[in-house]
Amino acid sequence: EIVLTQSPATLSLSPGERATLSCRSSQSVSSFLAWYQQKPGQAPRLLIFDASYRATGIPARFSGSGSGTDFTLTISSLEPEDFAVYYCQQRSNWPWTFGQGTKVEIK
Amino acid sequence: ELQLVESGGGLVQPGRSLRLSCAASGFTFDDYGMHWVRQAPGKGLEWVSGISWNSGSTAYADSVKGRFTISRDNTKNSLYLQMNSLRAEDMAVYYCAKDTGFWSGYFAFWGPGTLITVSS
């Protein structure tokens, strides 16, 4: 099973700041990686797929990069609604797995 | 409007069975793979099972293999998860999720979830 390790566990930032979230895979997943956002009491929402492609309706301030084993989700300028938990997920190998999440909280 | 609505959750004793349903609307159901993803209280996400658009392919997490069965009825725009021999560690919110394609492995849209509580 591919293990995805996200860092940091918690990111404390202010609105307007840049957020950089990391996801590292235990083995190469090529570009088969997605990012999701989850707010308290809500279902997750797909942000990025295939490492760098924004899903429909996702603002341009969200961007993804990386390939192989190292991936990054960047939020260029945090809006109040962006404070949430973010998960990465791989679809390269069965079983499809998620990282443990990074919480982006208001500083 | 795209919509997924799960049902069938509730309190169940260990060792018993439960069947979840997911009603889909707002998209061409039989064009997409479908999945179940769960989240234990206060924990992260775990993919449970998936089924391709035509039921030709199914897959399961090792933690549920042999106990859970996924199925779909494209005539009813519905997805199902038959859960047998339930354990305490199966307690979670179960989300129904639409694939981004026939069988891509990404989860484009999620229902609100249904809570399964396993307790005696």
Side-chain angles (χ1 to χ4, degrees):
Chain A
E1 173 173 316
I2 292 178
V3 176
L4 299 178
T5 303
Q6 294 186 238
S7 61
T10 304
L11 198 52
S12 298
L13 296 168
S14 301
E17 289 193 295
R18 182 183 188 89
T20 303
L21 287 67
S22 174
C23 177
R24 180 162 290 178
S25 176
S26 59
Q27 63 189 76
S28 176
V29 298
S30 185
S31 295
F32 299 130
L33 189 109
W35 291 93
Y36 300 84
Q37 176 195 67
Q38 187 178 32
K39 298 178 182 179
Q42 295 185 18
R45 176 174 71 146
L46 176 65
L47 299 175
I48 301 287
F49 64 96
D50 285 347
S52 62
Y53 293 89
R54 275 189 302 276
T56 303
I58 301 304
R61 64 180 180 274
F62 291 92
S63 63
S65 63
S67 65
T69 61
D70 289 289
F71 299 87
T72 301
L73 174 70
T74 301
I75 311 171
S76 59
S77 178
L78 283 164
E79 297 288 340
E81 62 267 27
D82 299 336
F83 292 91
V85 179
Y86 293 83
Y87 295 94
C88 57
Q89 177 247 330
Q90 65 83 22
R91 72 160 190 96
S92 175
N93 284 37
W94 299 104
W96 296 324
T97 51
F98 291 87
Q100 83 281 14
T102 289
K103 181 180 182 180
V104 179
E105 65 176 23
I106 299 176
K107 187 174 181 180
Chain B
E1 180 190 359
L2 204 158
Q3 201 167 15
L4 295 171
V5 179
E6 303 92 343
S7 60
L11 174 64
V12 62
Q13 293 178 327
R16 303 300 290 263
S17 298
L18 208 58
R19 189 195 197 207
L20 302 184
S21 299
C22 173
S25 60
F27 65 102
T28 305
F29 185 70
D30 55 9
D31 276 351
Y32 293 91
M34 295 294 296
H35 306 271
W36 292 98
V37 180
R38 69 185 179 184
Q39 187 169 35
K43 302 296 185 182
L45 301 168
E46 180 188 17
W47 171 78
V48 172
S49 182
I51 186 167
S52 62
W53 64 283
N54 63 352
S55 303
S57 297
T58 59
Y60 300 90
D62 286 345
S63 57
V64 307
K65 200 173 293 183
R67 300 187 299 123
F68 290 11
T69 302
I70 192 171
S71 62
R72 65 189 293 163
D73 185 340
N74 287 348
T75 67
K76 296 182 178 179
N77 288 353
S78 293
L79 175 72
Y80 307 101
L81 186 67
Q82 177 65 42
M83 304 185 295
N84 299 332
S85 304
L86 282 161
R87 306 168 179 167
E89 55 265 35
D90 296 319
M91 184 163 65
V93 173
Y94 283 71
Y95 295 103
C96 165
K98 169 186 168 291
D99 198 292
T100 54
F102 291 126
W103 188 232
S104 79
Y106 295 133
F107 315 118
F109 184 79
W110 304 54
T114 187
L115 176 63
I116 308 299
T117 302
V118 182
S119 175
S120 53

